[in-house]
Amino acid sequence: MAAKKYWDGLKAGAPENSDLAIMGVPFDGAVSGGRGAAEAPGRLRELSKKISPFSEEGHDLRGLIVYDRGDLVFVHDWESYYAEVEEAAFALLQSGSTPLFLGGDHSVTIPLSKAFARYYHPEPVGMVHLDAHSDLMDMYCGQKWSHACPQRRFLEQENTKIENLFLVGIREFEAEEVAFWKDNPELGLVTARRYARDGHKAVMEEMVSALRGLSAVYLSIDIDILDPAYAPGTGTPQAGGLSTRELITLVSDTMRRLPVKAVDLVEVAPPLDSSDLTSRAALKVIYEIFAALVSLKGQ
Ligand SMILES: [Mn+2]
């Protein structure tokens, strides 16, 4: 799929010479709430045609070279699909560009972050998880690959550590997740309430200091970190979340201040959306990721 068709105004590149590589993972078989996240990559690409290639502060994004690998479509079974997703993610990491994975539900982070950890092994890797939920369940609905489990699966990788996992925006828990947090005080966990109380700057300092020393960080953005007022189109919305204004700044600063080497954006569910509000919020975040990459490229 040529980037020319979508992502209007950006330069289309090959995997080896691009700044950013996009891959859609249209899978929503692991949700506990509403489905529809499988339609997100298609909807986001479609809407990208209407977005001008400038950041919200007027920075020109037309120099950014983007390779859009297209979607990895689910064909057979869950296990072989995740193996394929992992291999495709690994290949994109090998190409040297920064991958941006478009989910799909949050379970897709399981094979994606596994590929990430494997690519950087034995170097330690970190994770920033922006979400209403901590996704720290060992099992959910009898399933280890539920969208409630990705961070537990990430912590099973050899080169990950609890202190290198940093969560922001959390405001709903299962009993097991609260117990896990209590048993592991080194876990970086900022609730949505604390984010509002302490403010962006203080949380950024805490995040940067928690992940200091790492050379590769994975950024996982669940759109339900946003308040449903800003992002109604998601399977498990939770009131009391961040505003789009806050999320854009949070993602932009995370990209600039930490060595983010891969990003995913998950849980946008177009069939549950209203006037594409959620997809448009996601695209705003995506274009600020582009802007961060452009400014990092110029350094
Ligand atoms: Mn999640």
Side-chain angles (χ1 to χ4, degrees), residues 16 18 50 53 57 63 86 109 113 122 125 129 195 198 246 272:
E16 324 73 59
S18 296
K50 298 175 186 165
E57 293 195 300
E86 186 187 331
T109 302
S113 65
V125 292
H129 170 93
Y195 181 85
D198 294 355
E246 289 170 324
L272 307 173

PDB file of all heavy atoms in Angstrom, residues 16 18 50 53 57 63 86 109 113 122 125 129 195 198 246 272:
ATOM      1  N   GLU A  16      13.202   0.239   4.060  1.00  0.00           N
ATOM      2  CA  GLU A  16      14.582   0.493   4.492  1.00  0.00           C
ATOM      3  C   GLU A  16      14.916   1.975   4.615  1.00  0.00           C
ATOM      4  O   GLU A  16      15.889   2.322   5.262  1.00  0.00           O
ATOM      5  CB  GLU A  16      15.615  -0.114   3.531  1.00  0.00           C
ATOM      6  CG  GLU A  16      15.277  -1.434   2.890  1.00  0.00           C
ATOM      7  CD  GLU A  16      14.204  -1.303   1.800  1.00  0.00           C
ATOM      8  OE1 GLU A  16      14.412  -0.560   0.813  1.00  0.00           O
ATOM      9  OE2 GLU A  16      13.138  -1.939   1.988  1.00  0.00           O
ATOM     10  N   SER A  18      12.626   4.623   5.352  1.00  0.00           N
ATOM     11  CA  SER A  18      11.558   5.463   5.892  1.00  0.00           C
ATOM     12  C   SER A  18      11.845   5.861   7.337  1.00  0.00           C
ATOM     13  O   SER A  18      12.575   5.186   8.052  1.00  0.00           O
ATOM     14  CB  SER A  18      10.227   4.723   5.829  1.00  0.00           C
ATOM     15  OG  SER A  18       9.890   4.487   4.477  1.00  0.00           O
ATOM     16  N   LYS A  50      -7.888  13.750   4.712  1.00  0.00           N
ATOM     17  CA  LYS A  50      -8.412  15.098   4.902  1.00  0.00           C
ATOM     18  C   LYS A  50      -7.531  15.943   5.822  1.00  0.00           C
ATOM     19  O   LYS A  50      -7.892  17.076   6.148  1.00  0.00           O
ATOM     20  CB  LYS A  50      -9.812  15.015   5.524  1.00  0.00           C
ATOM     21  CG  LYS A  50     -10.807  14.296   4.641  1.00  0.00           C
ATOM     22  CD  LYS A  50     -12.139  14.121   5.352  1.00  0.00           C
ATOM     23  CE  LYS A  50     -13.086  13.268   4.508  1.00  0.00           C
ATOM     24  NZ  LYS A  50     -14.225  12.784   5.275  1.00  0.00           N
ATOM     25  N   PRO A  53      -0.618  18.149   6.150  1.00  0.00           N
ATOM     26  CA  PRO A  53       0.618  17.650   6.745  1.00  0.00           C
ATOM     27  C   PRO A  53       1.385  18.707   7.556  1.00  0.00           C
ATOM     28  O   PRO A  53       2.549  19.002   7.278  1.00  0.00           O
ATOM     29  CB  PRO A  53       1.416  17.182   5.526  1.00  0.00           C
ATOM     30  CG  PRO A  53       0.951  18.058   4.422  1.00  0.00           C
ATOM     31  CD  PRO A  53      -0.495  18.365   4.714  1.00  0.00           C
ATOM     32  N   GLU A  57       1.339  23.008  15.738  1.00  0.00           N
ATOM     33  CA  GLU A  57       2.070  24.259  15.935  1.00  0.00           C
ATOM     34  C   GLU A  57       2.662  24.777  14.629  1.00  0.00           C
ATOM     35  O   GLU A  57       3.525  25.663  14.634  1.00  0.00           O
ATOM     36  CB  GLU A  57       3.150  24.061  16.994  1.00  0.00           C
ATOM     37  CG  GLU A  57       2.517  23.809  18.356  1.00  0.00           C
ATOM     38  CD  GLU A  57       3.481  23.967  19.505  1.00  0.00           C
ATOM     39  OE1 GLU A  57       4.485  23.224  19.506  1.00  0.00           O
ATOM     40  OE2 GLU A  57       3.245  24.831  20.361  1.00  0.00           O
ATOM     41  N   GLY A  63       8.410  16.492   4.968  1.00  0.00           N
ATOM     42  CA  GLY A  63       9.696  15.808   4.795  1.00  0.00           C
ATOM     43  C   GLY A  63       9.715  14.415   5.415  1.00  0.00           C
ATOM     44  O   GLY A  63      10.677  13.666   5.258  1.00  0.00           O
ATOM     45  N   GLU A  86       3.850 -10.914  15.221  1.00  0.00           N
ATOM     46  CA  GLU A  86       5.153 -10.770  15.862  1.00  0.00           C
ATOM     47  C   GLU A  86       6.272 -10.720  14.818  1.00  0.00           C
ATOM     48  O   GLU A  86       7.157  -9.858  14.889  1.00  0.00           O
ATOM     49  CB  GLU A  86       5.373 -11.930  16.845  1.00  0.00           C
ATOM     50  CG  GLU A  86       6.649 -11.772  17.661  1.00  0.00           C
ATOM     51  CD  GLU A  86       6.961 -12.999  18.521  1.00  0.00           C
ATOM     52  OE1 GLU A  86       6.024 -13.708  18.943  1.00  0.00           O
ATOM     53  OE2 GLU A  86       8.164 -13.234  18.757  1.00  0.00           O
ATOM     54  N   THR A 109      -1.003  -5.677  21.412  1.00  0.00           N
ATOM     55  CA  THR A 109       0.270  -5.261  22.026  1.00  0.00           C
ATOM     56  C   THR A 109       1.077  -6.478  22.491  1.00  0.00           C
ATOM     57  O   THR A 109       2.296  -6.407  22.618  1.00  0.00           O
ATOM     58  CB  THR A 109      -0.013  -4.294  23.202  1.00  0.00           C
ATOM     59  OG1 THR A 109      -0.736  -3.181  22.684  1.00  0.00           O
ATOM     60  CG2 THR A 109       1.262  -3.777  23.842  1.00  0.00           C
ATOM     61  N   SER A 113       4.736  -6.147  21.354  1.00  0.00           N
ATOM     62  CA  SER A 113       5.773  -5.825  22.347  1.00  0.00           C
ATOM     63  C   SER A 113       6.717  -7.004  22.560  1.00  0.00           C
ATOM     64  O   SER A 113       7.862  -6.830  22.979  1.00  0.00           O
ATOM     65  CB  SER A 113       5.139  -5.373  23.666  1.00  0.00           C
ATOM     66  OG  SER A 113       4.421  -6.423  24.260  1.00  0.00           O
ATOM     67  N   PRO A 122      19.712  -8.613  24.368  1.00  0.00           N
ATOM     68  CA  PRO A 122      19.465  -8.637  25.809  1.00  0.00           C
ATOM     69  C   PRO A 122      19.369  -7.252  26.471  1.00  0.00           C
ATOM     70  O   PRO A 122      19.258  -7.172  27.693  1.00  0.00           O
ATOM     71  CB  PRO A 122      20.702  -9.371  26.336  1.00  0.00           C
ATOM     72  CG  PRO A 122      21.794  -8.982  25.385  1.00  0.00           C
ATOM     73  CD  PRO A 122      21.130  -8.801  24.038  1.00  0.00           C
ATOM     74  N   VAL A 125      14.376  -3.212  27.944  1.00  0.00           N
ATOM     75  CA  VAL A 125      13.416  -2.334  27.265  1.00  0.00           C
ATOM     76  C   VAL A 125      12.371  -1.823  28.254  1.00  0.00           C
ATOM     77  O   VAL A 125      12.067  -2.481  29.245  1.00  0.00           O
ATOM     78  CB  VAL A 125      12.711  -3.035  26.075  1.00  0.00           C
ATOM     79  CG1 VAL A 125      13.683  -3.306  24.940  1.00  0.00           C
ATOM     80  CG2 VAL A 125      12.025  -4.323  26.517  1.00  0.00           C
ATOM     81  N   HIS A 129       2.585   3.028  29.097  1.00  0.00           N
ATOM     82  CA  HIS A 129       1.244   2.500  28.802  1.00  0.00           C
ATOM     83  C   HIS A 129       0.225   3.580  29.186  1.00  0.00           C
ATOM     84  O   HIS A 129       0.077   3.905  30.360  1.00  0.00           O
ATOM     85  CB  HIS A 129       1.079   1.220  29.639  1.00  0.00           C
ATOM     86  CG  HIS A 129      -0.292   0.619  29.694  1.00  0.00           C
ATOM     87  ND1 HIS A 129      -0.709  -0.353  28.824  1.00  0.00           N
ATOM     88  CD2 HIS A 129      -1.329   0.818  30.538  1.00  0.00           C
ATOM     89  CE1 HIS A 129      -1.949  -0.728  29.141  1.00  0.00           C
ATOM     90  NE2 HIS A 129      -2.357  -0.022  30.170  1.00  0.00           N
ATOM     91  N   TYR A 195      -2.878  12.309  37.863  1.00  0.00           N
ATOM     92  CA  TYR A 195      -2.437  13.124  36.714  1.00  0.00           C
ATOM     93  C   TYR A 195      -3.086  14.511  36.787  1.00  0.00           C
ATOM     94  O   TYR A 195      -2.432  15.533  36.585  1.00  0.00           O
ATOM     95  CB  TYR A 195      -2.804  12.427  35.393  1.00  0.00           C
ATOM     96  CG  TYR A 195      -2.355  13.191  34.174  1.00  0.00           C
ATOM     97  CD1 TYR A 195      -1.066  13.032  33.679  1.00  0.00           C
ATOM     98  CD2 TYR A 195      -3.198  14.107  33.547  1.00  0.00           C
ATOM     99  CE1 TYR A 195      -0.630  13.754  32.581  1.00  0.00           C
ATOM    100  CE2 TYR A 195      -2.770  14.832  32.443  1.00  0.00           C
ATOM    101  CZ  TYR A 195      -1.486  14.644  31.974  1.00  0.00           C
ATOM    102  OH  TYR A 195      -1.061  15.371  30.890  1.00  0.00           O
ATOM    103  N   ASP A 198      -1.494  16.310  40.141  1.00  0.00           N
ATOM    104  CA  ASP A 198      -0.076  16.696  40.116  1.00  0.00           C
ATOM    105  C   ASP A 198       0.291  17.475  38.860  1.00  0.00           C
ATOM    106  O   ASP A 198       1.251  18.245  38.866  1.00  0.00           O
ATOM    107  CB  ASP A 198       0.829  15.457  40.214  1.00  0.00           C
ATOM    108  CG  ASP A 198       0.700  14.763  41.564  1.00  0.00           C
ATOM    109  OD1 ASP A 198      -0.010  15.301  42.441  1.00  0.00           O
ATOM    110  OD2 ASP A 198       1.285  13.683  41.727  1.00  0.00           O
ATOM    111  N   GLU A 246      -4.743  17.224  26.719  1.00  0.00           N
ATOM    112  CA  GLU A 246      -3.736  16.629  27.617  1.00  0.00           C
ATOM    113  C   GLU A 246      -3.014  15.465  26.951  1.00  0.00           C
ATOM    114  O   GLU A 246      -1.793  15.327  27.071  1.00  0.00           O
ATOM    115  CB  GLU A 246      -4.408  16.172  28.915  1.00  0.00           C
ATOM    116  CG  GLU A 246      -4.836  17.327  29.790  1.00  0.00           C
ATOM    117  CD  GLU A 246      -5.718  16.900  30.958  1.00  0.00           C
ATOM    118  OE1 GLU A 246      -6.541  15.963  30.796  1.00  0.00           O
ATOM    119  OE2 GLU A 246      -5.593  17.518  32.024  1.00  0.00           O
ATOM    120  N   LEU A 272     -18.592   2.189  17.058  1.00  0.00           N
ATOM    121  CA  LEU A 272     -19.148   2.705  18.313  1.00  0.00           C
ATOM    122  C   LEU A 272     -18.990   4.218  18.416  1.00  0.00           C
ATOM    123  O   LEU A 272     -19.330   4.830  19.422  1.00  0.00           O
ATOM    124  CB  LEU A 272     -18.443   2.053  19.517  1.00  0.00           C
ATOM    125  CG  LEU A 272     -18.403   0.522  19.545  1.00  0.00           C
ATOM    126  CD1 LEU A 272     -17.536   0.030  20.692  1.00  0.00           C
ATOM    127  CD2 LEU A 272     -19.809  -0.038  19.682  1.00  0.00           C
TER     128      LEU A 272
END
